[in-house]
Amino acid sequence: MAGEAGKQRTVLLATEKAFAAGAVTKIESVVKAANYTLKKLENYKGKDDLLAAVEGADAMIIRSDIVDAAVLEKANQLKIVVRAGAGDSLKIERMIVSARNNFDGTSGFELVNREIAFYGFGAVARAVHKLAQGFGMKSFAYDPYIPADKIKEMGAEPVSSVAGLFEHQYVSLHVPLTDETKASINKALLSKMPKGGTLINTARVEVVHEADMLEVLSTRSDFCYLCDVAPKDIEPFKAAVGDKFGKRLIFTKKKMGAQTAEANDNAGVAAANQIVGFFEKGETRFSLKA
């Protein structure tokens, strides 16, 4: 279990789309330093391969691979799954592009003294918060798993509810898709945002109520939606903003938060370190490490 140091562990690296070879070497180095065994399942072609490989694994590192009920049923020793694939600088880049009207030659605005609110204040949100501080922004955060005093210690002003987040110009989503969060970002919340209100969604497309988002984009010419999880049909969204596509509305072609060479390495190594910390020291994602 967590915090039981010195035991032999098997870590399964299960990646349908493999990490770069250099990243795998670094992951293996972290695992071996803890006297654990790294078992690799890379570029696998089917679910049966994953089901066979997970038996006997104490931990898993995945990317966009799916760990569902069938996998968990086979994973008789599994204690922790870490998804490696978070990117934080993409959010800042989207904000700059939008604030400067995609550099079309017209006047935009600066980020300094603007306010950004984080829905969820885990490791990625805190990394974005640090970058935002560098731009002179003021941070606010709501996370039901992190006490308000801890949020304040980390430099953000705690917010007492989800609705309270939407009183600020920028809201950045850092939540998983659950029954509670599905379609929860709706018209009522979006309509609370001040002039220039901007939603940044690099979480899951399903957490945003699509019809409500279309309505807000159509009726509020000041509202912006910056996203790397675009809906399947983006044409109605393009129509809602007209020639402001790429300015008020920015979609990437695919989820690209971790699409850099550095992120490829760093995410995998961070995942390996998190697994070691979990088993050796009892650390979890809620341990509030920067």
Side-chain angles (χ1 to χ4, degrees):
M1 295 297 292
E4 295 180 354
K7 290 192 174 184
Q8 292 294 314
R9 312 283 184 181
T10 297
V11 179
L12 174 63
L13 178 63
T15 50
E16 191 173 15
K17 180 182 177 183
F19 281 105
V24 174
T25 298
K26 292 176 182 178
I27 292 169
E28 193 159 24
S29 177
V30 172
V31 171
K32 284 185 175 180
N35 292 317
Y36 298 171
T37 299
L38 183 68
K39 182 179 178 181
K40 291 180 279 189
L41 177 67
E42 300 177 282
N43 300 311
Y44 64 92
K45 302 302 181 184
K47 184 70 166 288
D48 288 344
D49 295 336
L50 180 58
L51 293 175
V54 76
E55 290 189 72
D58 298 289
M60 286 179 67
I61 298 173
I62 61 172
R63 298 189 74 186
S64 295
D65 310 79
I66 297 174
V67 177
D68 57 14
V71 174
L72 293 176
E73 186 176 345
K74 286 286 187 181
N76 56 338
Q77 292 182 201
L78 192 65
K79 305 297 189 303
I80 181 173
V81 178
V82 181
R83 181 186 181 273
D88 45 54
S89 62
L90 179 69
K91 297 172 183 61
I92 299 294
E93 180 269 336
R94 300 285 86 177
M95 291 162 63
I96 293 172
V97 170
S98 177
R100 297 298 301 272
N101 298 320
N102 208 349
F103 306 99
D104 67 354
T106 60
S107 294
F109 60 85
E110 298 180 6
L111 297 181
V112 65
N113 292 326
R114 305 281 170 171
E115 296 180 348
I116 182 168
F118 297 95
Y119 185 5
F121 207 52
V124 176
R126 296 197 296 269
V128 179
H129 155 67
K130 287 184 177 180
L131 292 173
Q133 284 186 311
F135 281 86
M137 300 184 75
K138 301 175 183 177
S139 293
F140 300 79
Y142 170 77
D143 192 313
Y145 299 100
I146 301 179
D149 62 324
K150 294 296 184 181
I151 289 175
K152 199 170 187 69
E153 280 179 21
M154 293 181 286
E157 189 65 28
V159 175
S160 61
S161 67
V162 175
L165 296 169
F166 288 80
E167 297 173 2
H168 305 283
Q169 180 177 358
Y170 289 96
V171 173
S172 185
L173 303 182
H174 299 266
V175 293
L177 177 62
T178 65
D179 290 341
E180 181 182 4
T181 62
K182 185 176 181 180
S184 64
I185 309 303
N186 54 27
K187 181 181 176 181
L189 291 176
L190 298 173
S191 297
K192 288 172 60 67
M193 298 186 78
K195 184 177 180 180
T198 300
L199 182 71
I200 309 167
N201 182 13
T202 56
R204 295 290 180 268
V205 65
E206 295 90 352
V207 302
V208 174
H209 192 292
E210 189 169 304
D212 284 6
M213 174 59 76
L214 278 169
E215 183 178 348
V216 173
L217 285 169
S218 299
T219 58
R220 282 190 57 175
S221 61
D222 65 300
F223 187 84
C224 304
Y225 184 34
L226 318 179
C227 181
D228 79 339
V229 283
K232 291 181 179 178
D233 184 6
I234 67 171
E235 294 308 317
F237 287 84
K238 287 184 176 180
V241 299
D243 64 359
K244 298 298 184 181
F245 182 68
K247 302 172 187 178
R248 287 182 54 211
L249 180 66
I250 301 177
F251 293 147
T252 54
K253 291 184 178 180
K254 62 177 183 177
K255 196 164 179 60
M256 296 184 66
Q259 295 297 312
T260 68
E262 293 85 355
N264 191 290
D265 279 9
N266 294 342
V269 172
N273 280 321
Q274 186 171 347
I275 287 169
V276 173
F278 173 77
F279 285 126
E280 302 298 315
K281 302 177 183 178
E283 294 174 350
T284 72
R285 68 178 291 259
F286 305 121
S287 295
L288 306 181
K289 300 226 175 259

